[in-house]
């Protein structure tokens, strides 16, 4: 498996993410540079690439060009993106070689998703997990616990819900305010950061 970044940056404003502080406008990496990497991978027997953009598909034309290039080289791919971008592009991406998805669920609660500016619908991650499972594709979900409005019992319930998605990998993170994020500013002003 080879690693591929096709763009850097993110225009979404999730409060927990540092990307928007350092790279608030996504910028595509030139297709010619990506093709050199893919050719190198193919020459060395690599048949799969893991695309680790913050949100693959956020630059639709560039994403389509990358997918077409991977198809020409007969390289299968797994990709990290947002749930809404996966749902919008699911059938086409699967048809063109997508083998799996890495995606941020973050929370099952609409109030928390709104608070962290995730701008996703709470049931969307369930729909994506169902589609991935039905298609037999790899599913890797990221989930955050410990937001201020959560309780011990709500976290227990969320973990049961998370298990019901039957993901291949579930990556849990405890809320961690990172410098230069809105979450950092909120936690610092409301609770203090030593």
């Amino acid at each position: 498996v080879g690693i591929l970044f096709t763009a850097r940056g993110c225009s979404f404003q999730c409060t927990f993410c540092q990307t928007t502080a350092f790279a608030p406008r996504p910028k595509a990496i030139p297709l010619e540079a990506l093709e050199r990497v893919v050719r190198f991978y193919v020459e060395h027997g690599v048949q799969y690439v893991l695309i680790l953009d913050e949100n693959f598909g956020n630059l639709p034309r560039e994403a389509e060009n990358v997918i077409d290039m991977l198809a020409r080289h007969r390289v299968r791919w797994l990709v990290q993106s947002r749930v809404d971008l996966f749902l919008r592009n699911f059938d086409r991406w699967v048809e063109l070689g997508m083998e799996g998805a890495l995606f941020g669920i973050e929370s099952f609660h609409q109030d928390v998703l709104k608070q962290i500016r995730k701008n996703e619908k709470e049931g969307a991650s369930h729909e994506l997990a169902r589609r991935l499972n039905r298609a037999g594709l790899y599913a890797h979900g990221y989930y955050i616990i410990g937001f201020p409005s959560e309780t011990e019992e709500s976290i227990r319930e969320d973990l049961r819900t998370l298990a019901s998605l039957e993901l291949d990998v579930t990556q849990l993170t405890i809320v961690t305010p990172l410098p230069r994020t809105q979450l950092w500013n909120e936690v610092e002003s409301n609770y203090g950061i030593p």
Side-chain angles (χ1 to χ4, degrees):
V1 176
I3 303 296
L4 194 65
F5 288 91
T6 71
R8 297 304 311 197
C10 181
S11 61
F12 295 96
Q13 298 295 313
C14 302
T15 64
F16 56 87
C17 184
Q18 284 184 308
T19 301
T20 55
F22 295 100
R25 291 185 184 88
K27 186 175 181 182
I29 294 172
L31 190 62
E32 305 77 40
L34 298 174
E35 187 137 22
R36 281 195 308 270
V37 171
V38 170
R39 268 196 234 107
F40 176 87
Y41 283 158
V42 169
E43 288 168 7
H44 289 83
V46 174
Q47 298 173 0
Y48 295 86
V49 294
L50 174 57
I51 302 171
L52 287 177
D53 298 6
E54 285 83 0
N55 291 300
F56 185 79
N58 193 22
L59 300 171
R61 186 177 335 121
E62 288 80 358
E64 288 297 317
N65 289 339
V66 169
I67 292 168
D68 290 344
M69 183 259 301
L70 292 172
R72 279 195 317 274
H73 289 283
R74 296 188 182 140
V75 173
R76 308 296 283 180
W77 46 284
L78 299 100
V79 62
Q80 178 171 271
S81 191
R82 290 175 52 89
V83 171
D84 58 347
L85 292 172
F86 277 117
L87 291 174
R88 186 178 316 143
N89 296 291
F90 191 84
D91 293 331
R92 175 152 171 73
W93 287 2
V94 169
E95 178 185 313
L96 294 173
M98 183 181 81
E99 292 283 336
L102 294 83
F103 55 97
I105 301 166
E106 322 316 355
S107 177
F108 293 124
H109 306 281
Q110 196 63 54
D111 60 326
V112 173
L113 292 172
K114 183 177 180 182
Q115 175 190 358
I116 63 174
R117 294 187 182 175
K118 182 67 179 178
N119 295 326
E120 297 270 13
K121 301 291 184 214
E122 67 181 275
S125 56
H126 291 71
E127 173 62 22
L128 178 57
R130 276 192 294 277
R131 286 188 182 185
L132 290 164
N133 289 335
R134 199 174 321 126
L137 300 175
Y138 177 79
H140 183 135
Y142 303 106
Y143 198 84
I144 302 174
I145 61 172
F147 289 109
S149 62
E150 294 179 332
T151 64
E152 185 177 333
E153 184 49 43
S154 74
I155 291 171
R156 286 182 204 275
E157 181 60 32
D158 289 350
L159 294 176
R160 285 189 285 271
T161 302
L162 198 53
S164 75
L165 296 182
E166 299 180 356
L167 303 175
D168 294 297
V169 173
T170 303
Q171 185 172 328
L172 291 175
T173 305
I174 297 170
V175 170
T176 306
L178 300 170
R180 295 188 62 183
T181 64
Q182 185 177 337
L183 181 61
W184 174 281
N185 296 336
E186 291 169 4
V187 170
E188 185 175 46
S189 66
N190 293 332
Y191 308 101
I193 295 178

